[in-house]
Coordinates of all heavy atoms in Angstrom, one line a residue:
Y1 N 32.8 85.0 114.5 CA 33.3 84.3 113.4 C 32.2 84.3 112.3 O 32.5 84.3 111.1 CB 33.7 82.8 113.7 CG 35.0 82.7 114.4 CD1 35.0 82.5 115.8 CD2 36.2 82.9 113.8 CE1 36.2 82.4 116.6 CE2 37.4 82.8 114.6 CZ 37.4 82.6 115.9 OH 38.6 82.5 116.6
K2 N 30.9 84.2 112.8 CA 29.8 84.3 111.8 C 29.9 85.6 111.1 O 29.7 85.7 109.9 CB 28.5 84.0 112.5 CG 28.3 82.6 112.9 CD 26.9 82.4 113.6 CE 26.7 81.0 114.0 NZ 25.4 80.7 114.7
E3 N 30.0 86.7 111.8 CA 30.0 88.0 111.2 C 31.3 88.2 110.3 O 31.2 88.7 109.2 CB 30.0 89.1 112.3 CG 28.7 89.1 113.0 CD 28.8 90.2 114.1 OE1 29.9 90.8 114.3 OE2 27.8 90.4 114.7
K4 N 32.4 87.6 110.7 CA 33.6 87.7 109.9 C 33.5 86.9 108.6 O 33.9 87.4 107.6 CB 34.8 87.1 110.8 CG 36.1 87.4 110.1 CD 37.2 86.9 111.0 CE 38.6 87.1 110.4 NZ 39.6 86.6 111.3
G5 N 32.8 85.8 108.7 CA 32.6 85.0 107.5 C 31.7 85.7 106.5 O 31.8 85.6 105.3
F6 N 30.7 86.4 107.1 CA 29.8 87.1 106.3 C 30.5 88.2 105.5 O 30.2 88.4 104.3 CB 28.7 87.7 107.2 CG 27.7 88.7 106.4 CD1 26.7 88.2 105.6 CD2 27.9 90.0 106.5 CE1 25.9 89.0 104.9 CE2 27.0 90.8 105.8 CZ 26.1 90.4 105.0
Y7 N 31.3 89.0 106.1 CA 32.0 90.1 105.4 C 33.0 89.5 104.4 O 33.1 90.1 103.3 CB 32.7 90.9 106.5 CG 31.8 91.8 107.3 CD1 31.6 91.7 108.6 CD2 31.1 92.9 106.6 CE1 30.7 92.5 109.3 CE2 30.2 93.7 107.4 CZ 30.1 93.5 108.7 OH 29.2 94.3 109.4
I8 N 33.6 88.4 104.7 CA 34.5 87.8 103.8 C 33.8 87.4 102.5 O 34.2 87.6 101.4 CB 35.2 86.6 104.4 CG1 36.2 87.1 105.5 CG2 36.0 85.8 103.3 CD1 36.8 86.0 106.3
S9 N 32.6 86.8 102.8 CA 31.8 86.3 101.6 C 31.3 87.5 100.8 O 31.3 87.5 99.6 CB 30.6 85.5 102.1 OG 31.0 84.4 102.8
L10 N 31.0 88.6 101.5 CA 30.5 89.8 100.8 C 31.6 90.4 100.0 O 31.4 90.8 98.8 CB 30.0 90.8 101.8 CG 29.5 92.2 101.2 CD1 28.3 91.9 100.3 CD2 29.0 93.1 102.4
I11 N 32.8 90.5 100.6 CA 34.0 91.0 99.8 C 34.3 90.2 98.6 O 34.6 90.7 97.5 CB 35.2 91.2 100.7 CG1 34.9 92.2 101.8 CG2 36.4 91.5 100.0 CD1 35.9 92.3 102.9
C12 N 34.2 88.8 98.8 CA 34.5 88.0 97.6 C 33.5 88.2 96.5 O 33.8 88.2 95.3 CB 34.5 86.5 98.1 SG 35.9 86.1 99.2
G13 N 32.2 88.3 97.0 CA 31.2 88.5 96.0 C 31.4 89.8 95.2 O 31.2 89.9 94.0
I14 N 31.8 90.9 95.9 CA 32.0 92.2 95.2 C 33.2 92.1 94.3 O 33.1 92.6 93.1 CB 32.3 93.3 96.3 CG1 31.0 93.5 97.1 CG2 32.8 94.5 95.6 CD1 31.2 94.4 98.3
V15 N 34.3 91.4 94.7 CA 35.4 91.2 93.8 C 35.0 90.5 92.6 O 35.4 90.8 91.4 CB 36.5 90.5 94.6 CG1 37.7 90.1 93.6 CG2 37.1 91.4 95.7
C16 N 34.2 89.4 92.7 CA 33.8 88.6 91.6 C 33.0 89.4 90.6 O 33.1 89.4 89.4 CB 33.0 87.4 92.0 SG 34.0 86.1 92.9
L17 N 32.0 90.2 91.2 CA 31.2 91.1 90.3 C 32.0 92.1 89.6 O 31.8 92.4 88.4 CB 30.1 91.8 91.2 CG 29.0 90.9 91.7 CD1 28.1 91.7 92.7 CD2 28.2 90.3 90.6
A18 N 33.0 92.7 90.3 CA 33.9 93.6 89.6 C 34.7 93.0 88.5 O 34.9 93.6 87.4 CB 34.8 94.3 90.6
A19 N 35.2 91.8 88.7 CA 36.0 91.1 87.7 C 35.1 90.8 86.5 O 35.5 90.9 85.3 CB 36.6 89.8 88.3
F20 N 33.9 90.3 86.8 CA 33.0 89.9 85.7 C 32.6 91.2 84.9 O 32.6 91.1 83.6 CB 31.7 89.3 86.3 CG 30.7 88.9 85.3 CD1 30.9 87.8 84.5 CD2 29.6 89.7 85.0 CE1 29.9 87.4 83.6 CE2 28.7 89.4 84.1 CZ 28.8 88.2 83.3
G21 N 32.4 92.3 85.6 CA 32.1 93.5 84.8 C 33.2 94.0 84.0 O 33.1 94.5 82.9
F22 N 34.5 93.9 84.5 CA 35.7 94.3 83.7 C 35.8 93.5 82.5 O 36.1 94.0 81.4 CB 36.9 94.2 84.7 CG 38.2 94.6 84.0 CD1 38.5 95.9 83.8 CD2 39.0 93.6 83.5 CE1 39.6 96.2 83.2 CE2 40.2 93.9 82.9 CZ 40.5 95.3 82.7
I23 N 35.6 92.1 82.6 CA 35.7 91.2 81.5 C 34.7 91.6 80.4 O 35.0 91.7 79.2 CB 35.6 89.8 81.9 CG1 36.8 89.4 82.8 CG2 35.5 88.8 80.7 CD1 36.6 88.0 83.5
C24 N 33.4 91.9 80.9 CA 32.4 92.2 79.9 C 32.7 93.5 79.2 O 32.5 93.6 78.0 CB 31.0 92.3 80.7 SG 30.4 90.7 81.2
M25 N 33.2 94.5 79.9 CA 33.5 95.7 79.2 C 34.6 95.6 78.2 O 34.5 96.1 77.1 CB 34.0 96.8 80.3 CG 32.9 97.3 81.2 SD 33.5 98.4 82.5 CE 34.1 99.7 81.4
N26 N 35.6 94.7 78.4 CA 36.7 94.5 77.4 C 36.1 93.8 76.2 O 36.5 94.1 75.1 CB 37.8 93.6 78.0 CG 38.6 94.4 79.0 OD1 38.7 95.6 79.0 ND2 39.3 93.7 80.0
V27 N 35.2 92.8 76.5 CA 34.7 92.1 75.3 C 33.9 93.0 74.4 O 34.0 93.1 73.2 CB 33.8 90.9 75.8 CG1 33.0 90.3 74.6 CG2 34.7 89.9 76.5
F28 N 33.0 93.8 75.1 CA 32.1 94.7 74.3 C 32.9 95.8 73.6 O 32.7 96.2 72.5 CB 31.0 95.3 75.1 CG 29.9 94.4 75.4 CD1 29.7 93.9 76.7 CD2 29.0 93.9 74.4 CE1 28.7 93.0 77.0 CE2 28.0 93.0 74.7 CZ 27.8 92.6 76.0
S29 N 33.9 96.3 74.3 CA 34.8 97.4 73.7 C 35.5 96.9 72.5 O 35.7 97.5 71.5 CB 35.7 98.0 74.8 OG 36.6 97.0 75.2
D30 N 36.0 95.7 72.6 CA 36.8 95.1 71.4 C 35.9 94.9 70.2 O 36.2 95.2 69.1 CB 37.4 93.8 71.8 CG 38.5 94.0 72.8 OD1 39.1 95.1 72.9 OD2 38.9 93.0 73.5
G31 N 34.7 94.5 70.5 CA 33.7 94.2 69.4 C 33.3 95.5 68.7 O 33.3 95.6 67.5
S32 N 33.0 96.6 69.5 CA 32.6 97.8 68.9 C 33.7 98.5 68.2 O 33.5 99.2 67.2 CB 32.0 98.7 70.0 OG 33.0 99.0 70.9
G33 N 35.0 98.4 68.7 CA 36.1 99.0 68.0 C 36.4 98.4 66.7 O 36.7 99.0 65.7
E34 N 36.2 97.0 66.6 CA 36.4 96.4 65.3 C 35.4 96.8 64.3 O 35.6 97.0 63.2 CB 36.4 94.9 65.5 CG 37.6 94.3 66.3 CD 37.5 92.8 66.5 OE1 36.4 92.2 66.1 OE2 38.4 92.2 67.1
Q35 N 34.1 96.9 64.9 CA 33.0 97.4 64.0 C 33.3 98.8 63.5 O 33.1 99.1 62.3 CB 31.7 97.3 64.7 CG 31.2 95.9 65.0 CD 29.9 95.8 65.8 OE1 29.4 96.9 66.1 NE2 29.4 94.6 66.0
E36 N 33.7 99.7 64.4 CA 34.0 101.1 64.0 C 35.1 101.1 63.0 O 35.1 101.9 62.0 CB 34.3 101.9 65.2 CG 33.1 102.2 66.1 CD 33.6 103.0 67.4 OE1 34.8 103.3 67.5 OE2 32.7 103.3 68.2
N37 N 36.2 100.3 63.3 CA 37.3 100.3 62.3 C 36.9 99.8 60.9 O 37.3 100.3 59.9 CB 38.4 99.4 62.8 CG 39.1 100.0 64.1 OD1 39.0 101.2 64.2 ND2 39.7 99.2 64.9
A38 N 36.0 98.8 61.0 CA 35.5 98.3 59.7 C 34.7 99.3 58.9 O 34.8 99.5 57.7 CB 34.6 97.0 59.9
V39 N 33.8 100.1 59.7 CA 33.0 101.1 59.0 C 33.9 102.2 58.5 O 33.7 102.6 57.3 CB 32.0 101.7 60.1 CG1 31.3 102.9 59.4 CG2 31.0 100.6 60.4
V40 N 34.9 102.6 59.3 CA 35.8 103.7 58.8 C 36.6 103.2 57.5 O 36.7 103.9 56.6 CB 36.8 104.1 59.9 CG1 37.8 105.0 59.3 CG2 36.0 104.7 61.0
A41 N 37.0 101.9 57.6 CA 37.7 101.4 56.4 C 36.9 101.4 55.2 O 37.3 101.7 54.1 CB 38.2 100.0 56.8

């Protein structure tokens, strides 16, 4: 059970990190797109 809990915790951590990274990529991509659109305009 200890080993099972460890893997569960590890998987949860990986999922959280992936979600956090996805959110950050969307935020930065939206900001750079607006800046590029503004420059082109």
Side-chain angles (χ1 to χ4, degrees):
Y1 287 104
K2 288 182 181 180
E3 293 177 355
K4 187 177 181 179
F6 171 77
Y7 286 113
I8 292 172
S9 299
L10 180 60
I11 292 170
C12 291
I14 292 171
V15 170
C16 290
L17 289 173
F20 179 78
F22 179 76
I23 292 170
C24 290
M25 287 177 65
N26 287 337
V27 170
F28 284 110
S29 63
D30 291 339
S32 62
E34 290 177 0
Q35 289 179 357
E36 290 176 359
N37 293 336
V39 171
V40 171

